[in-house]
Amino acid sequence: MNSTPASLHPNDDARRRLEGRRAELRALLANLAGAAVRSSDEPAEVSDFKDLAGQEAQEAHSDATAAQAMPELADIGAALRRIQEGHYGLCADCGDEIAPARLAAVPAATLCASCQERREQGQRCAAGRPAR
């Protein structure tokens, strides 16, 4: 007997994973923003250049983390829209299905492995459109 409910949509797992990752990224960004506000509210008590360098390194790390999170959030939002519109799992270049293993590894993937490789090499996709 199958333990999966009949009403479970094939993309429900992807949707849950994407929504979970989106929540993680939003929490991370909220924490970074809260830390930035707290540090700007605190009086500057730098005792030496090592303290200043440490603070600057922490700020640079926070900025880099936020810079990585924002595009990932956009990709997740786009993937959730594709699920809602019924286009999730289809390659944006050639229209073929993206391999389930690829979607499991990269749930927000928009390209099949072949088109992704072609795009990385700057070649045309199978459908004849130039790689973007």
Side-chain angles (χ1 to χ4, degrees):
M1 182 171 184
N2 189 351
S3 63
T4 304
S7 62
L8 188 65
H9 190 274
N11 292 327
D12 284 348
D13 183 52
R15 178 183 288 114
R16 277 192 300 279
R17 291 180 60 216
L18 288 162
E19 288 172 345
R21 181 63 179 152
R22 179 172 61 181
E24 289 173 12
L25 290 171
R26 286 178 174 170
L28 173 67
L29 290 172
N31 287 337
L32 290 173
V37 168
R38 283 189 301 279
S39 70
S40 68
D41 288 344
E42 296 172 0
E45 294 184 26
V46 178
S47 61
D48 61 22
F49 288 111
K50 286 191 253 181
D51 288 344
L52 181 59
Q55 288 174 356
E56 288 178 357
Q58 181 59 43
E59 289 172 8
H61 180 266
S62 295
D63 290 347
T65 300
Q68 279 186 308
M70 296 303 291
E72 187 177 354
L73 270 175
D75 291 346
I76 288 170
L80 289 169
R81 281 189 299 281
R82 287 192 304 277
I83 288 172
Q84 185 176 5
E85 295 166 357
H87 304 290
Y88 181 77
L90 298 178
C91 178
D93 278 357
C94 69
D96 288 345
E97 285 190 26
I98 299 172
R102 178 165 169 74
L103 289 173
V106 186
T110 59
L111 301 173
C112 67
S114 297
C115 288
Q116 180 68 43
E117 185 176 341
R118 283 187 199 95
R119 203 176 267 202
E120 288 171 1
Q121 295 174 356
Q123 299 174 359
R124 292 185 174 275
C125 72
R129 295 187 296 261
R132 293 181 236 176

Short mmCIF file of all heavy atoms in Angstrom, two decimals, residues 51-101:
data_model
loop_
_atom_site.label_atom_id
_atom_site.label_comp_id
_atom_site.label_asym_id
_atom_site.label_seq_id
_atom_site.Cartn_x
_atom_site.Cartn_y
_atom_site.Cartn_z
N ASP A 51 40.34 45.72 17.41
CA ASP A 51 38.89 45.75 17.60
C ASP A 51 38.19 46.34 16.38
O ASP A 51 37.18 45.83 15.91
CB ASP A 51 38.52 46.57 18.84
CG ASP A 51 38.89 45.88 20.14
OD1 ASP A 51 39.14 44.67 20.11
OD2 ASP A 51 38.92 46.58 21.18
N LEU A 52 38.73 47.43 15.87
CA LEU A 52 38.16 48.09 14.70
C LEU A 52 38.20 47.16 13.49
O LEU A 52 37.21 47.03 12.76
CB LEU A 52 38.90 49.39 14.39
CG LEU A 52 38.39 50.19 13.20
CD1 LEU A 52 36.92 50.58 13.41
CD2 LEU A 52 39.24 51.43 12.99
N ALA A 53 39.33 46.48 13.31
CA ALA A 53 39.46 45.55 12.19
C ALA A 53 38.47 44.40 12.32
O ALA A 53 37.86 43.97 11.34
CB ALA A 53 40.88 45.01 12.11
N GLY A 54 38.28 43.90 13.53
CA GLY A 54 37.31 42.83 13.76
C GLY A 54 35.89 43.27 13.45
O GLY A 54 35.12 42.53 12.84
N GLN A 55 35.54 44.48 13.86
CA GLN A 55 34.20 45.01 13.57
C GLN A 55 34.00 45.18 12.07
O GLN A 55 32.94 44.85 11.53
CB GLN A 55 33.99 46.34 14.29
CG GLN A 55 33.82 46.21 15.77
CD GLN A 55 33.74 47.56 16.47
OE1 GLN A 55 33.88 48.62 15.85
NE2 GLN A 55 33.53 47.53 17.78
N GLU A 56 35.02 45.70 11.40
CA GLU A 56 34.91 45.89 9.95
C GLU A 56 34.80 44.55 9.23
O GLU A 56 34.05 44.42 8.26
CB GLU A 56 36.10 46.69 9.43
CG GLU A 56 36.03 48.15 9.84
CD GLU A 56 37.24 48.95 9.38
OE1 GLU A 56 38.18 48.35 8.79
OE2 GLU A 56 37.25 50.16 9.61
N ALA A 57 35.54 43.56 9.69
CA ALA A 57 35.46 42.22 9.08
C ALA A 57 34.07 41.62 9.28
O ALA A 57 33.51 41.01 8.36
CB ALA A 57 36.52 41.30 9.67
N GLN A 58 33.49 41.80 10.47
CA GLN A 58 32.14 41.29 10.73
C GLN A 58 31.12 41.99 9.85
O GLN A 58 30.21 41.35 9.30
CB GLN A 58 31.78 41.48 12.21
CG GLN A 58 30.41 40.96 12.56
CD GLN A 58 30.23 39.48 12.27
OE1 GLN A 58 31.11 38.68 12.54
NE2 GLN A 58 29.11 39.11 11.70
N GLU A 59 31.26 43.30 9.68
CA GLU A 59 30.34 44.04 8.81
C GLU A 59 30.48 43.58 7.36
O GLU A 59 29.47 43.42 6.65
CB GLU A 59 30.60 45.54 8.92
CG GLU A 59 30.16 46.13 10.25
CD GLU A 59 30.59 47.57 10.43
OE1 GLU A 59 31.11 48.19 9.46
OE2 GLU A 59 30.42 48.09 11.55
N ALA A 60 31.71 43.35 6.90
CA ALA A 60 31.92 42.88 5.53
C ALA A 60 31.31 41.49 5.35
O ALA A 60 30.70 41.22 4.31
CB ALA A 60 33.42 42.86 5.21
N HIS A 61 31.45 40.62 6.34
CA HIS A 61 30.87 39.28 6.27
C HIS A 61 29.35 39.37 6.21
O HIS A 61 28.70 38.67 5.41
CB HIS A 61 31.32 38.45 7.47
CG HIS A 61 30.75 37.06 7.46
ND1 HIS A 61 29.60 36.74 8.12
CD2 HIS A 61 31.18 35.93 6.84
CE1 HIS A 61 29.33 35.47 7.92
NE2 HIS A 61 30.27 34.96 7.16
N SER A 62 28.77 40.23 7.03
CA SER A 62 27.31 40.40 7.03
C SER A 62 26.83 40.93 5.68
O SER A 62 25.81 40.48 5.16
CB SER A 62 26.89 41.36 8.15
OG SER A 62 27.17 40.80 9.40
N ASP A 63 27.57 41.89 5.12
CA ASP A 63 27.19 42.44 3.82
C ASP A 63 27.26 41.37 2.73
O ASP A 63 26.37 41.28 1.87
CB ASP A 63 28.11 43.61 3.44
CG ASP A 63 27.87 44.84 4.29
OD1 ASP A 63 26.84 44.91 5.00
OD2 ASP A 63 28.73 45.75 4.26
N ALA A 64 28.30 40.54 2.77
CA ALA A 64 28.45 39.47 1.77
C ALA A 64 27.35 38.43 1.91
O ALA A 64 26.80 37.95 0.92
CB ALA A 64 29.83 38.82 1.90
N THR A 65 27.01 38.11 3.15
CA THR A 65 25.95 37.13 3.40
C THR A 65 24.62 37.66 2.85
O THR A 65 23.88 36.93 2.18
CB THR A 65 25.83 36.83 4.90
OG1 THR A 65 27.09 36.29 5.35
CG2 THR A 65 24.72 35.84 5.20
N ALA A 66 24.32 38.92 3.12
CA ALA A 66 23.08 39.52 2.61
C ALA A 66 23.09 39.58 1.09
O ALA A 66 22.07 39.32 0.44
CB ALA A 66 22.90 40.91 3.21
N ALA A 67 24.25 39.88 0.50
CA ALA A 67 24.34 39.96 -0.96
C ALA A 67 24.10 38.60 -1.61
O ALA A 67 23.58 38.53 -2.72
CB ALA A 67 25.72 40.51 -1.37
N GLN A 68 24.45 37.52 -0.93
CA GLN A 68 24.18 36.18 -1.45
C GLN A 68 22.72 35.79 -1.24
O GLN A 68 22.14 35.09 -2.06
CB GLN A 68 25.06 35.15 -0.76
CG GLN A 68 26.46 35.05 -1.30
CD GLN A 68 27.20 33.91 -0.63
OE1 GLN A 68 27.26 33.82 0.58
NE2 GLN A 68 27.78 33.05 -1.45
N ALA A 69 22.15 36.19 -0.14
CA ALA A 69 20.78 35.78 0.20
C ALA A 69 19.74 36.44 -0.69
O ALA A 69 18.74 35.79 -1.04
CB ALA A 69 20.49 36.10 1.67
N MET A 70 19.94 37.67 -1.07
CA MET A 70 18.92 38.38 -1.84
C MET A 70 18.64 37.74 -3.20
O MET A 70 17.47 37.50 -3.52
CB MET A 70 19.32 39.86 -2.00
CG MET A 70 19.38 40.61 -0.67
SD MET A 70 17.84 40.58 0.26
CE MET A 70 16.81 41.58 -0.78
N PRO A 71 19.64 37.42 -4.01
CA PRO A 71 19.33 36.76 -5.29
C PRO A 71 18.72 35.37 -5.10
O PRO A 71 17.86 34.96 -5.87
CB PRO A 71 20.69 36.66 -6.00
CG PRO A 71 21.60 37.57 -5.28
CD PRO A 71 21.05 37.77 -3.91
N GLU A 72 19.15 34.66 -4.06
CA GLU A 72 18.58 33.34 -3.80
C GLU A 72 17.10 33.47 -3.45
O GLU A 72 16.27 32.67 -3.90
CB GLU A 72 19.33 32.62 -2.68
CG GLU A 72 18.86 31.19 -2.50
CD GLU A 72 19.63 30.41 -1.44
OE1 GLU A 72 20.63 30.90 -0.90
OE2 GLU A 72 19.19 29.27 -1.17
N LEU A 73 16.75 34.50 -2.67
CA LEU A 73 15.33 34.74 -2.35
C LEU A 73 14.54 35.01 -3.62
O LEU A 73 13.41 34.52 -3.77
CB LEU A 73 15.20 35.93 -1.39
CG LEU A 73 15.22 35.62 0.08
CD1 LEU A 73 15.21 36.91 0.90
CD2 LEU A 73 14.08 34.74 0.49
N ALA A 74 15.10 35.80 -4.53
CA ALA A 74 14.42 36.08 -5.80
C ALA A 74 14.24 34.80 -6.61
O ALA A 74 13.16 34.58 -7.19
CB ALA A 74 15.21 37.13 -6.59
N ASP A 75 15.27 33.95 -6.65
CA ASP A 75 15.17 32.69 -7.38
C ASP A 75 14.10 31.78 -6.78
O ASP A 75 13.35 31.12 -7.51
CB ASP A 75 16.51 31.95 -7.37
CG ASP A 75 17.58 32.64 -8.21
OD1 ASP A 75 17.24 33.53 -9.02
OD2 ASP A 75 18.77 32.28 -8.05
N ILE A 76 14.02 31.76 -5.46
CA ILE A 76 13.02 30.94 -4.78
C ILE A 76 11.62 31.46 -5.09
O ILE A 76 10.71 30.68 -5.39
CB ILE A 76 13.28 30.91 -3.26
CG1 ILE A 76 14.53 30.06 -2.98
CG2 ILE A 76 12.07 30.38 -2.50
CD1 ILE A 76 15.04 30.15 -1.56
N GLY A 77 11.44 32.77 -5.06
CA GLY A 77 10.14 33.35 -5.40
C GLY A 77 9.73 33.00 -6.82
O GLY A 77 8.57 32.65 -7.07
N ALA A 78 10.68 33.05 -7.74
CA ALA A 78 10.39 32.70 -9.14
C ALA A 78 10.02 31.22 -9.26
O ALA A 78 9.10 30.86 -10.00
CB ALA A 78 11.59 33.03 -10.02
N ALA A 79 10.72 30.36 -8.53
CA ALA A 79 10.42 28.92 -8.57
C ALA A 79 9.02 28.65 -8.01
O ALA A 79 8.27 27.84 -8.56
CB ALA A 79 11.47 28.13 -7.79
N LEU A 80 8.66 29.32 -6.93
CA LEU A 80 7.32 29.14 -6.36
C LEU A 80 6.24 29.61 -7.34
O LEU A 80 5.18 29.00 -7.45
CB LEU A 80 7.21 29.87 -5.02
CG LEU A 80 8.01 29.22 -3.88
CD1 LEU A 80 8.08 30.15 -2.67
CD2 LEU A 80 7.42 27.88 -3.49
N ARG A 81 6.53 30.69 -8.07
CA ARG A 81 5.57 31.14 -9.10
C ARG A 81 5.45 30.11 -10.22
O ARG A 81 4.36 29.85 -10.72
CB ARG A 81 5.99 32.50 -9.67
CG ARG A 81 5.62 33.67 -8.77
CD ARG A 81 5.83 35.01 -9.45
NE ARG A 81 7.22 35.26 -9.83
CZ ARG A 81 8.17 35.64 -8.99
NH1 ARG A 81 7.92 35.82 -7.72
NH2 ARG A 81 9.40 35.85 -9.44
N ARG A 82 6.57 29.50 -10.61
CA ARG A 82 6.52 28.46 -11.65
C ARG A 82 5.69 27.26 -11.19
O ARG A 82 4.95 26.68 -11.97
CB ARG A 82 7.93 28.02 -12.06
CG ARG A 82 8.67 29.06 -12.88
CD ARG A 82 9.94 28.50 -13.52
NE ARG A 82 10.88 27.90 -12.59
CZ ARG A 82 11.78 28.57 -11.86
NH1 ARG A 82 11.83 29.88 -11.94
NH2 ARG A 82 12.60 27.92 -11.06
N ILE A 83 5.82 26.91 -9.92
CA ILE A 83 5.00 25.81 -9.38
C ILE A 83 3.53 26.19 -9.49
O ILE A 83 2.70 25.41 -9.97
CB ILE A 83 5.37 25.50 -7.92
CG1 ILE A 83 6.74 24.81 -7.86
CG2 ILE A 83 4.31 24.61 -7.27
CD1 ILE A 83 7.29 24.62 -6.46
N GLN A 84 3.19 27.39 -9.07
CA GLN A 84 1.80 27.86 -9.10
C GLN A 84 1.25 27.90 -10.52
O GLN A 84 0.09 27.57 -10.76
CB GLN A 84 1.71 29.24 -8.45
CG GLN A 84 0.32 29.77 -8.31
CD GLN A 84 0.30 31.11 -7.57
OE1 GLN A 84 1.33 31.69 -7.24
NE2 GLN A 84 -0.89 31.60 -7.32
N GLU A 85 2.10 28.29 -11.47
CA GLU A 85 1.65 28.42 -12.86
C GLU A 85 1.74 27.11 -13.65
O GLU A 85 1.31 27.05 -14.80
CB GLU A 85 2.49 29.50 -13.56
CG GLU A 85 2.28 30.88 -12.98
CD GLU A 85 3.34 31.88 -13.43
OE1 GLU A 85 4.28 31.49 -14.16
OE2 GLU A 85 3.22 33.06 -13.05
N GLY A 86 2.32 26.07 -13.03
CA GLY A 86 2.41 24.78 -13.71
C GLY A 86 3.61 24.64 -14.63
O GLY A 86 3.63 23.73 -15.46
N HIS A 87 4.62 25.50 -14.49
CA HIS A 87 5.81 25.44 -15.35
C HIS A 87 7.04 24.92 -14.61
O HIS A 87 8.11 24.85 -15.19
CB HIS A 87 6.14 26.82 -15.92
CG HIS A 87 5.02 27.44 -16.68
ND1 HIS A 87 4.59 26.97 -17.89
CD2 HIS A 87 4.21 28.48 -16.37
CE1 HIS A 87 3.58 27.71 -18.31
NE2 HIS A 87 3.33 28.63 -17.41
N TYR A 88 6.87 24.57 -13.35
CA TYR A 88 8.02 24.15 -12.55
C TYR A 88 8.58 22.85 -13.11
O TYR A 88 7.84 21.93 -13.47
CB TYR A 88 7.62 23.95 -11.08
CG TYR A 88 8.77 23.53 -10.20
CD1 TYR A 88 9.71 24.46 -9.80
CD2 TYR A 88 8.91 22.21 -9.79
CE1 TYR A 88 10.78 24.08 -8.99
CE2 TYR A 88 9.97 21.83 -8.98
CZ TYR A 88 10.90 22.77 -8.58
OH TYR A 88 11.95 22.40 -7.79
N GLY A 89 9.91 22.78 -13.19
CA GLY A 89 10.55 21.57 -13.65
C GLY A 89 10.76 21.51 -15.15
O GLY A 89 11.25 20.52 -15.67
N LEU A 90 10.38 22.57 -15.86
CA LEU A 90 10.60 22.63 -17.30
C LEU A 90 11.74 23.60 -17.58
O LEU A 90 11.79 24.70 -17.03
CB LEU A 90 9.34 23.10 -18.03
CG LEU A 90 8.11 22.21 -17.87
CD1 LEU A 90 6.93 22.82 -18.60
CD2 LEU A 90 8.40 20.81 -18.39
N CYS A 91 12.65 23.20 -18.45
CA CYS A 91 13.80 24.02 -18.79
C CYS A 91 13.34 25.30 -19.50
O CYS A 91 12.55 25.25 -20.44
CB CYS A 91 14.76 23.23 -19.69
SG CYS A 91 16.20 24.17 -20.21
N ALA A 92 13.86 26.43 -19.04
CA ALA A 92 13.48 27.72 -19.62
C ALA A 92 14.04 27.90 -21.02
O ALA A 92 13.52 28.70 -21.79
CB ALA A 92 13.98 28.85 -18.72
N ASP A 93 15.08 27.15 -21.40
CA ASP A 93 15.66 27.28 -22.73
C ASP A 93 15.06 26.30 -23.74
O ASP A 93 14.56 26.71 -24.77
CB ASP A 93 17.18 27.10 -22.69
CG ASP A 93 17.91 28.37 -22.26
OD1 ASP A 93 17.27 29.42 -22.05
OD2 ASP A 93 19.15 28.31 -22.14
N CYS A 94 15.11 25.00 -23.42
CA CYS A 94 14.68 24.01 -24.40
C CYS A 94 13.27 23.48 -24.16
O CYS A 94 12.69 22.85 -25.04
CB CYS A 94 15.67 22.85 -24.45
SG CYS A 94 15.67 21.80 -22.97
N GLY A 95 12.72 23.69 -22.97
CA GLY A 95 11.37 23.23 -22.67
C GLY A 95 11.28 21.80 -22.19
O GLY A 95 10.21 21.34 -21.82
N ASP A 96 12.39 21.07 -22.20
CA ASP A 96 12.39 19.69 -21.71
C ASP A 96 12.27 19.69 -20.19
O ASP A 96 12.51 20.69 -19.53
CB ASP A 96 13.69 18.97 -22.10
CG ASP A 96 13.75 18.65 -23.58
OD1 ASP A 96 12.72 18.72 -24.27
OD2 ASP A 96 14.87 18.34 -24.06
N GLU A 97 11.93 18.52 -19.65
CA GLU A 97 11.85 18.39 -18.20
C GLU A 97 13.24 18.43 -17.59
O GLU A 97 14.19 17.88 -18.15
CB GLU A 97 11.17 17.08 -17.82
CG GLU A 97 9.67 17.11 -18.04
CD GLU A 97 8.98 15.90 -17.44
OE1 GLU A 97 9.50 15.32 -16.48
OE2 GLU A 97 7.91 15.56 -17.95
N ILE A 98 13.36 19.11 -16.46
CA ILE A 98 14.60 19.12 -15.70
C ILE A 98 14.62 17.84 -14.88
O ILE A 98 13.61 17.47 -14.27
CB ILE A 98 14.68 20.37 -14.80
CG1 ILE A 98 14.64 21.64 -15.66
CG2 ILE A 98 15.93 20.34 -13.92
CD1 ILE A 98 14.52 22.93 -14.85
N ALA A 99 15.75 17.17 -14.86
CA ALA A 99 15.86 15.89 -14.15
C ALA A 99 15.48 16.04 -12.68
O ALA A 99 15.89 17.01 -12.03
CB ALA A 99 17.28 15.35 -14.26
N PRO A 100 14.69 15.11 -12.15
CA PRO A 100 14.30 15.17 -10.74
C PRO A 100 15.50 15.28 -9.79
O PRO A 100 15.44 15.99 -8.78
CB PRO A 100 13.53 13.88 -10.52
CG PRO A 100 12.99 13.53 -11.87
CD PRO A 100 14.04 13.99 -12.84
N ALA A 101 16.59 14.60 -10.11
CA ALA A 101 17.78 14.67 -9.25
C ALA A 101 18.35 16.09 -9.23
O ALA A 101 18.81 16.57 -8.20
CB ALA A 101 18.84 13.69 -9.73
#
